[in-house]
Structure formats: C-alpha cells, structure tokens
Amino acid sequence: MRSANEERRVVWLPFAMLGYLETLRRATFHAFGWSGRGQALAVISAIVVIHVFLDYYYPSRLRRTLMGFAGLMFIAMVWVVNKSYIPGKQSFFGGYIFGLPNFGVGSISSMEYATFCFFVVFFYALVVFLLTSFILEKKSIAEVFFAGIFLLGVEIVASDRGILTYVILNVVFSTVLSSQVYLLQLENDHRARPVKGSGINTTTWTTVSLVLVVCLITVTAILPVGSTKVDFNTGSNLIKQVSGIGFGGVSEQGGHFGIFWKKMQSFELKGEVPTENTPVMYVKSSEPGYWRGESVDFYTGSGWENHMTARVVGEKIFDNPYSRNVAVNRVEQVFSLASGMTTQVVFNSGTPASVEITSDNLAVDDGDNLYTSDVSPGVTYKVVSYIPERNPEKLKSTSAEYPFGIRSQYLQLPDEIPERVRKLAVKLTQNAHNPYEKVKTIENYLSSNYPYNLSVTTVPRNRDVVDYFLFDLGQGYCTYHSTAMVVMLRSIGIPARWVKGFAPGKVDSETSVYAVDMSDAHAWVEVYFADYGWLPFEPTPSFFLPGLEPAKSEGPAASVEVPQPVPVPRVSPAEILEKEETPGFPWGGVVLGAVMLAGCLAGYYLWRTRNMFKFGSGDKIRDTYLAFINLLAHKGYPKSASQTPYEYAEGLRDKFPDDYLDIVSITVAFLRDKYGRERLDKSEVDNIRSIWQRLADKWLGKSRD
C-alpha cells in the first residue's frame, strides 16, 4: 500500500506537461525561423493545463468559471497588446507575457494582426486543452509521445543549430510525464487524492506552482532561438531562378559591375570602390533622379540581405502607393544599358507606375523592386515613376502608428546590435516631436559629423558595422552613412530600408540624357511615413537628393522642400551619450506596484474568507466521502461503478465489523448532504470529519496522543 506522500507525486503532472509542450513549441519556432519569444503561448499553456488538472482532480464550478474567465481575459489582453506591437519595442510585460513571434503574415493592419494573434492563442489553448484532457482521461502518453518525436525529427531537418537543446529537454520532460501518467494507471481509474482532509496543502502547492511556472517561462525565454537552415523567401527566389526566371541581381556577364553590385551591400568594397568612368547606362529624363536599383530589407550586423520574394506580374501598370492627400507627379525615363552591361534589375527614379520592356518575365517584390531575366546588353526600356511631393508640414503631422506589415519587415534588427547605437539615436532625437523631425535630425547628424572617404579600413570581424562606423571609424562612404541611418531609425521605431542604385550622372543639357558611370554607384535611405508613403533621404556628405540641391538661381517651386538642416554640434557620439537626463518620477512602477499589492491583498482575503483557492470541491462532506472510498480502494476494497453507497457500505460489514457503524455514519451523511433537502449543520459536519479522522488513523496504523 502506498502512503499519502507517494500519492501526492502525481501533482507534478501539469508541470511535466508544460515542459513537454514548451520544448516542442520552442523547437517549432526555431525550425520556422520565427523571431520573438512567443511567451503568450507559454502563459496560456500554463493557464489551460492547470485548469484541466484542477477540474479533473478537484472539480468546482466556481473554480472552473474563474479559470475559464482568466484564460479568456488573457487572450483578450493578447489582442489589446499586439494591436500596438512594434518588433523589439515592447515592454517587459508586453514581450514576455503577451508577446508573440513575428509570423511573417505580410502587410496587414494592426487590427488584423491583433485579431490574427487572438485566434493563434485561442486555438493553441484549445489544442493544449485537448492534449491534456486526452492524457488524463486515457492515461496514456504514447500517441502524444510519438507525435512529438515525429515533429522533432522534421525540425532537425529544417534547423541547423540549437535543436539538440530542445531534444534533450524534450526527453527529460517526456520521462517525467511518462512517470506521472504511470501513477495514474496505478490508480485503477480512481482519482488520486490524499488520504485525509479536503486536499493537499494549499499554500505549499500554490507556492510551488507559481515558482515552477515562472521558472519554466523564464528558462524557455532564454533558450536559443536559432535560425533556419533554409530561408523560405530566398528559397522561393532560388526556385524561380532554377525554373528560368532568375530574378534578383546582376548577371555575372556584367563583369566588374556585377561583382561590385553584389559586394556593395556586404561592406566588402575595400580596395574595390569603382572610381573609373566605365559606362553603365544612359537615361533620358525630363528631371534628374537617383536611379533606383534595389531596396534591401534585412540587416545582419555585417551587411544587408534581401529576404523578399519577387513575383511575376502580368500587368506592367502599377497602382499609386501613396496616400490620397499626397500630390504625386508621373515622370518618364528611358533607360539604355551600355555595351557589355546586363542586369536583372529594372531601374527607375522612384516607385514604378508603368514599364514598357520587351521581356515577358517582369517581376516585383514587396520592396518596390523590379526584375526581369531577359535583358541583354544595349537594351532600351521605358519606366514611368511616381514622384511624391515633399511637404514638410504634412510630414510633420504624420502618425507614429504603422501597418503591421511595414513594422514587421522594416523594423528588423539583429539581437546582437550594441545598445549604444539605439541610445545614440534616442539622445539625438529626444527633442524631436514627430517622426519627420527625428528622421531629419539623424540625417543631418550623419552628414555633418562623418566625413566622406572612399579609403577606409575594413570592419573588424565580429563587429557590428554601424557600431564600428559611429564609434570607431568616424568616416566612410555612402554605404556606411545610409546603413547607419536605417539602423538608427529602426532602433527608435521608424520603418526604414536601405537602397542601392546610381546618382544622376552627367547630363547633356541639349538632349536631357544622363550618362551614368560606375563611379556614380550610390546608396541612400527610404523612410516610411504613415498616411503618406516611402520617401528617400540622403545622409551622405556632399550628396543631395535630385531636386533638393542648394539652389543656384531662383528658388525651387513652392511644393518642393528646401533643406533646412537642424543645427547639430560637431561632437562625438560618446559626448552625446555622456549627457545625463534628469530622470522623471517612475509613475509606471508605482502604479504597477500598487496594482500588484491590491491583487495580493484581495487574493489573501478571498483565500481566508471564501475558500476560493482551496483544493477540493469546497464540500467537506463530499470530499470526506471521496477520501474514504479512495483509501479503501488502496486497501483492496474498491467501490464499483454499479454499487450504490449503501450497497458498498453493506459489503464492508464483514471486512470491518468493528468500524461498520462509523462507515454507515459517513455514508448516510454523504447521502443526506447530496440528496437531502437541508444541508448538514456545522456540528454535524465536524462530527463526521472527526469520525473519518479516527478511521483513517486506525487503518493507517497511526495513533494520536
């Protein structure tokens, strides 16, 4: 016969279940390359598993209602928090309690993303509920165990680092879970209960529960996230290239130009920055422009990668992406590639409106990049581009709320980026009142404090490019300035992307044809403004966006922005960071502390007065009777489902003749309490519990002095 302490070991079942589910969940995030910890799923798992466990062992309508309400409230809070989600910018509670990974659902609104998160957490909770209920009812982990093995096997193939950690943890939790399920099997379909009283020690179990759940969430939060072996976007482009479409780059036939174009975004240009006047293309346009080649979205810390997927389009006419309140001009350009130059990139001077090209394989991606695979040297094509007005007053009034698709793609930064880069951006823009002012402040700071130099030392290995440029190198060419601006803007929550292409080149005033050489290769920045669209910015010294150069004769048109640089002192970033701010009063912490204290006091009051958090049904007579038949079952006298309480008591007459009257008393009290019109009063309840206490001590061989 097992002792009461042995029976209590089954209470580790919910924690083993939580650990098992968490290892599978984290391994899945790792395999799909989803960034973010996704702790909202860990929290809802804890709520659901403990709810199912309590409802199975200690059923109570009140507790079932409270736990269900808590789960629904948590899911509702997930919707509220993720409605204003900015990758990497959530508070501690937002990221580690209500946070979800970036699922890469595309360009959808904040409301749509919040609703998506709501259903993700809701259905995950439903799956956890079904799995936990299945294990408890069937008392078997075999099906779940083999499903987990299959899932981990797939993830081992899909992921290339960190998976061993999850496999080891999964084996550990599977072993513990199997042992707990085995204890259930030994119960012979009787629910494990302690021998005496209405449940296990409430204070101890609650304390252990909270500690283990917090530890579980903390440990899973710091486990390695890993990276995918196969980038699905890159893989998609690769498939298209293999199938003959081949978008996204410059052909190797481009010679030195092709090599330069690829190395431009990886900071490998030391000693290879082209300064020769090798012709690249000729552009006929009524207005000068930066001849835009590609925008790139993913910053690695050492360079840029394009994670966007180009898709073939049937129509060569594109909708205006700018807001209706933004005046947009349509500018036509005719591009002719120089002899010996081939490229899959279709250049333009802004956002494409239409393309006239002989190729049928025209593709576009989410970065407004155009590609084709059928361009030969000397080819000529025509592009009409959307050129938006630059109205400072409108830009200053734009909101800091961005669509989810924009935030998830263009606020990305690696986890390893030094914190001082973000702090520098925060310090510089602390007096700016809107996104536009912050953008102009950073743009002017970089162009005023970091000289242009084509001959710079390469970035040391294991150093972040932007951190090295800002704090050590102090000078560089356009790739450095533009990358620093994008990263700094992203670090303070402003969507930005890195763009490479060519400066206007030399113009023939009679023909309006611009001769573009390799020496005109350039990189700049595009920033997204809510209710407006994407606009280019130029942080590199000595360069000016076409149309925004310092006026040589009469001023520009009224609709054109005249650069008004914000005066920025020529000080080092270290000096800026040394300036201390006067800390404000921490009202947030005070309010949070007050709320937590009030919650603890309310919980203590309810626990002491309403029996709300005590285990058992809250019905002392029913709990006493169930503990009574449970002990007899372990002594070898189980109650069958077909027996009534009276029949069961009568069957014990010969086995416990000296205790028969006490057995009948407990049975009668249980039936009166359950089916009688009036419940037993306190003295009757205390009498029955004392009878049960005396029987339990006797049958367990205990004595009371």
Side-chain angles (χ1 to χ4, degrees), residues 374-394:
D374 297 338
V375 175
S376 56
V379 70
T380 298
Y381 57 87
K382 182 170 72 175
V383 179
V384 177
S385 301
Y386 293 114
I387 307 296
E389 67 170 345
R390 299 177 69 93
N391 188 314
E393 295 306 316
K394 287 184 179 180

Side-chain angles (χ1 to χ4, degrees), residues 26 44 74 91 156 171 259 344 368 410 423 523 528 589 631:
R26 297 291 298 150
I44 196 63
F74 178 80
S91 64
I156 289 174
V171 170
I259 297 173
Q344 296 173 354
D368 298 320
Y410 295 110
K423 288 183 177 179
Y528 184 85
L631 177 56

Side-chain angles (χ1 to χ4, degrees), residues 276-285 287-289 291 334-338 341 502-521:
E276 70 272 18
N277 297 323
T278 303
V280 174
M281 58 187 172
Y282 303 92
V283 185
K284 181 177 178 59
S285 175
E287 297 181 8
W291 315 123
V334 177
F335 293 86
S336 297
L337 293 183
M341 294 294 172
F502 290 88
K506 300 180 179 64
V507 62
D508 185 327
S509 57
E510 295 183 1
T511 61
S512 297
V513 173
Y514 294 83
V516 182
D517 298 336
M518 287 185 64
S519 60
D520 295 314

Side-chain angles (χ1 to χ4, degrees), residues 186-190 625 628-644 647-649 651-652 655-656:
L186 294 180
E187 294 299 332
N188 193 24
D189 209 30
H190 279 275
Y625 183 74
F628 158 72
I629 64 172
N630 189 58
L631 177 56
L632 288 172
H634 291 307
K635 290 178 69 66
Y637 308 106
K639 177 183 178 297
S640 68
S642 62
Q643 285 181 304
T644 65
E647 290 173 341
Y648 180 58
L652 298 172
K655 300 177 178 62
F656 301 95

Side-chain angles (χ1 to χ4, degrees), residues 461-474:
R461 184 173 298 180
N462 300 324
R463 281 293 304 273
D464 180 85
V465 166
V466 172
D467 180 76
Y468 181 71
F469 170 69
L470 292 174
F471 294 93
D472 295 292
L473 190 59

Side-chain angles (χ1 to χ4, degrees), residues 97-168:
I97 303 298
F98 301 105
L100 283 169
N102 172 21
F103 292 107
V105 294
S107 182
I108 63 176
S109 67
S110 299
M111 185 74 70
E112 290 171 332
Y113 179 67
T115 305
F116 173 78
C117 292
F118 175 89
F119 282 106
V120 167
V121 178
F122 180 84
F123 282 108
Y124 185 78
L126 181 61
V127 170
V128 173
F129 176 83
L130 294 175
L131 285 176
T132 308
S133 300
F134 174 84
I135 290 176
L136 285 175
E137 294 295 339
K138 192 171 181 182
K139 299 177 178 58
S140 172
I141 193 181
E143 293 83 356
V144 177
F145 180 71
F146 285 111
I149 291 177
F150 177 76
L151 180 62
L152 288 174
V154 173
E155 289 162 356
I156 289 174
V157 175
S159 181
D160 62 349
R161 65 184 175 96
I163 192 66
L164 181 61
T165 304
Y166 300 110
V167 172
I168 294 174

